[in-house]
Amino acid sequence: SAETRQIMNKYDTDGDRKMSLDEFAKLVKELKAFLASQPAAATPAPTVDPLVSAAFATFDANKTGLLSVRELHAALGHLGLDVQSSAETRQIMNKYDTDGDRKMSLDEFAKLVKELKAFLASQPAAATPAPTVDPLVSAAFATFDANKTGLLSVRELHAALGHLGLDVQSSAETRQI
C-alpha cells in the first residue's frame, strides 16, 4: 500500500528500497512509542507481545504452534541465555510447561521471555556490550523476512506492520509514526 511505502521511505536510510534489521529495529522502537501514546482502544490489547509472538514463530521450526526441547534450546541461545545441554533446556521446559505436555506453548514462552528479561535487567552491567538490536526484534525480523534475504521488501514490511499492531491502511497513523 502507499502507506507502507511511506514508512519504508522514512526508515530506509540507505535508500536501497529494502529495510535492514537496524532500520526495522528503529521502526519498532518508534512504533512501540507511538502505540503507547495512543488512547486505549475499544479492542483489548493482545495478551502476548507481538514481538514475542513473531520470535516464537521463528523458533517453531515445524510450525506446530509448540516448541520442542530442541526448538526451545535454539530460542534460548538466541535470547542470550547460555544453555549448555539439552538437560538444562529440559529443566527450563519443565519449569514453564504448565500443562505438562512436554512442549512450550506461546503463552508459556511469553512467560519465560518476561521472566528472562526481568532477570537480565536486574543483573549488573556485563563487561561485554549488550547487543545493539533486541533479540526479540531480531527474531521477529527473521519471521517477516520471508525470502531470507536479510532485508524486508515493502510486501514483507506490510505484513510486519500489521502483525505489530499498526493499521497500515490508516493514513493518519502512518503519518504519525
Side-chain angles (χ1 to χ4, degrees):
S1 74
E3 290 81 5
T4 304
R5 288 187 197 286
Q6 283 179 313
I7 292 170
M8 176 67 83
N9 291 340
K10 179 177 178 180
Y11 291 93
D12 176 25
T13 57
D14 60 8
D16 65 356
R17 300 174 61 157
K18 303 282 184 185
M19 188 167 290
S20 69
L21 175 58
D22 288 336
E23 292 164 341
F24 182 71
K26 181 177 180 186
L27 167 62
V28 167
K29 180 180 178 183
E30 292 182 15
L31 179 59
K32 280 185 158 192
F34 166 74
L35 293 174
S37 73
Q38 298 304 297
T43 56
T47 57
V48 175
D49 180 328
L51 287 176
V52 173
S53 178
F56 182 89
T58 298
F59 300 118
D60 181 16
N62 58 2
K63 306 303 177 207
T64 61
L66 298 167
L67 297 182
S68 66
V69 170
R70 179 176 286 151
E71 292 166 330
L72 177 60
H73 189 82
L76 294 173
H78 188 81
L79 295 173
L81 197 59
D82 185 22
V83 181
Q84 297 296 316
S85 69
S86 59
E88 287 178 302
T89 304
R90 273 190 234 298
Q91 286 180 322
I92 294 168
M93 174 74 79
N94 292 340
K95 178 177 178 181
Y96 291 93
D97 177 23
T98 57
D99 61 9
D101 65 354
R102 303 176 87 173
K103 303 280 183 182
M104 187 166 287
S105 69
L106 174 58
D107 288 337
E108 292 163 342
F109 182 72
K111 182 177 181 186
L112 165 64
V113 169
K114 180 179 178 182
E115 290 182 11
L116 179 59
K117 282 183 137 187
F119 171 76
L120 293 174
S122 72
Q123 299 303 301
T128 57
T132 57
V133 176
D134 181 324
L136 287 176
V137 173
S138 178
F141 182 88
T143 297
F144 301 122
D145 182 17
N147 58 5
K148 306 302 178 209
T149 62
L151 299 168
L152 296 183
S153 67
V154 171
R155 177 173 284 145
E156 292 165 333
L157 176 61
H158 185 83
L161 293 172
H163 186 85
L164 296 173
L166 182 68
D167 178 5
V168 288
Q169 300 307 319
S170 167
S171 295
E173 278 194 9
T174 302
R175 277 193 300 274
Q176 290 180 24
I177 64 160

